[in-house]
Each structure stands twice: as structure tokens, then as C-alpha cells.
Amino acid sequence: MCGRIANTLPRDAMAGLFDAKPANRLPEVPNYNICPTTDIAVVFGNETGRNLVSMRWGFLPHWYKAMNDGPLLINARAETIAEKPAFRAACRTRRCLIPVTGFYEWKKDAEGKRWPHYFSGEGPLALAGIWQDWQQEGEVTRSCAIVTTSANDTMAPVHHRMPVIISEADWPLWLGEAGHGAARLMGPAPEGVLLRRAVHPRVNSNRASGSELIEPFDAP
């Protein structure tokens, strides 16, 4: 799964990188400890072009009566996304990109203690996502989930799943700008895309903040 991300990209830089029109209200950056149910920056396309907007991280199916009416859907498995009632329409017509500078995953030691690791790239990463508008009492909440797939060799020693990472050349296809065939993009990232390092367990707290969260740490 992917349950914690970091984004240090300035809003103007994100808009320029994705050639997207930025919304007036976007999440504050930098944020080294972004947790589910908070708002994150997301790129999606429509008839006017690409847009950089804020969305709730935690996909809300249209049948939910309240935000906590069912499981917290922060991830969507690539292998079943086209079949799951919550995701199948979104994966066809409402795909998005989620800009991050990195994400965290935890590895258990022999005693069951979880040690965090930080995964990043040579530059910003674009994670595959899907989104949905959820309406309650006339108010609309735009929500999203990160698409995950099986781990590559870099990720596998820490966790068996990883987010789908979309290369810049494939952004148009994932966003639906370049026709059909986005399903082929939902595999593990090629080796060499990700860098991995152990980081301090202070990131285990969802209240932790600051750049020290991504500093290397000598885990046992």
C-alpha cells in the first residue's frame, strides 16, 4: 500500500511541471508527512486542459452517506481496479496524477517492530491516481486514491506493494489525452526509478513534521 507521502514542490513549480492551471486554494507545501484524509495536490484534465487542484486523499464512492460510511479507500489495486464497483468508472474516465517528492513504507524486523523507509526519485514523482466527486447535502468533496501494484526489486525488501509511478512521457496517456491503453501503465516502476533510505521512526507519528523526517537514519 501507500499510506504516507511527502511533497516539497512549490505550487508554481508543480503547475509549470505539469503544464496545469493552478486552483486558487492548494495544500500548503512543503509537507514532509502527508497523511490520509488530508487534502493533497492533484493534476487532472478536462475540456479546458490540465488543472492542479486540491483533493481529499481517501476515495469516497457515491453511495457513501458519510465520509466514514465504509472503509478508508486511500489505495486502489491495479489488478482489480477495473472490477471493483467503487473504482471501475473512475479508472476509465477519471484518472489523475499525484505529484510527490517521495513516499514512506515500513519494514518489520524479527521482533515485529516497524522501521520506516523513504522512497524518492532523482526528481519529482507522478503517482497514478483516480478521483471522484462526492456530494452530500449540496456540498461536493473531490476525493482521490493512489493506484498501487506489485513491488519492484527496490521496493520488495520493504513491502510487497508500491504506488504506480507514471513517467512524464506517459502523462498524456494516463490523463486520457492520448487515447486508450492506460491499463498497460499500471505495472511496477522500472529499476533505477526509485531511491531508498531508512529514516527515523519519528515519522511514525502523524503529527511529526519537518525536513528531518527524510534524513537518512541507521536502522537496525
Side-chain angles (χ1 to χ4, degrees):
M1 64 178 296
C2 180
R4 205 81 67 82
I5 58 179
N7 189 358
T8 65
L9 292 168
R11 285 168 279 189
D12 289 346
M14 276 190 283
L17 177 63
F18 290 93
D19 191 22
K21 180 181 178 182
N24 291 330
R25 295 184 180 179
L26 289 168
E28 291 295 324
V29 287
N31 189 337
Y32 294 89
N33 192 9
I34 303 173
C35 302
T37 74
T38 58
D39 288 346
I40 60 175
V42 174
V43 176
F44 78 101
N46 59 20
E47 62 277 2
T48 66
R50 294 179 185 174
N51 300 271
L52 177 67
V53 301
S54 179
M55 294 191 189
R56 177 189 188 267
W57 183 15
F59 192 92
L60 296 167
H62 65 83
W63 60 81
Y64 276 23
K65 303 300 183 184
M67 289 186 179
N68 60 355
D69 198 29
L72 178 58
L73 304 176
I74 63 171
N75 294 156
R77 292 175 65 95
E79 297 87 346
T80 57
I81 193 172
E83 306 161 9
K84 295 290 186 180
F87 302 137
R88 60 191 178 199
C91 80
R92 290 195 300 269
T93 61
R94 294 189 301 279
R95 296 186 298 272
C96 59
L97 296 169
I98 298 171
V100 302
T101 44
F103 60 93
Y104 301 91
E105 194 51 79
W106 281 258
K107 180 180 182 180
K108 285 187 177 180
D109 63 16
E111 298 177 352
K113 185 170 182 179
R114 299 170 72 240
W115 295 94
H117 292 253
Y118 181 68
F119 293 84
S120 59
E122 294 290 352
L125 300 172
L127 307 186
I130 55 173
W131 66 274
Q132 164 119 325
D133 281 342
W134 179 76
Q135 188 166 339
Q136 184 186 44
E137 298 179 355
E139 298 224 355
V140 175
T141 299
R142 191 157 279 179
S143 65
C144 64
I146 294 171
V147 182
T148 66
T149 188
S150 56
N152 64 10
D153 289 345
T154 304
M155 190 79 197
V158 177
H159 200 272
H160 67 286
R161 303 289 297 175
M162 70 181 298
V164 171
I165 299 170
I166 306 296
S167 68
E168 184 172 359
D170 290 323
W171 292 352
L173 182 57
W174 183 256
L175 292 175
E177 301 165 350
H180 302 288
R184 70 172 177 81
L185 304 178
M186 292 193 287
E191 296 305 320
V193 170
L194 289 178
L195 306 171
R196 164 192 160 195
R197 62 178 176 268
V199 293
H200 197 280
R202 65 172 60 95
V203 77
N204 293 355
S205 169
N206 59 14
R207 295 184 296 275
S209 63
S211 60
E212 67 274 11
L213 297 181
I214 65 170
E215 292 299 320
F217 175 74
D218 291 330

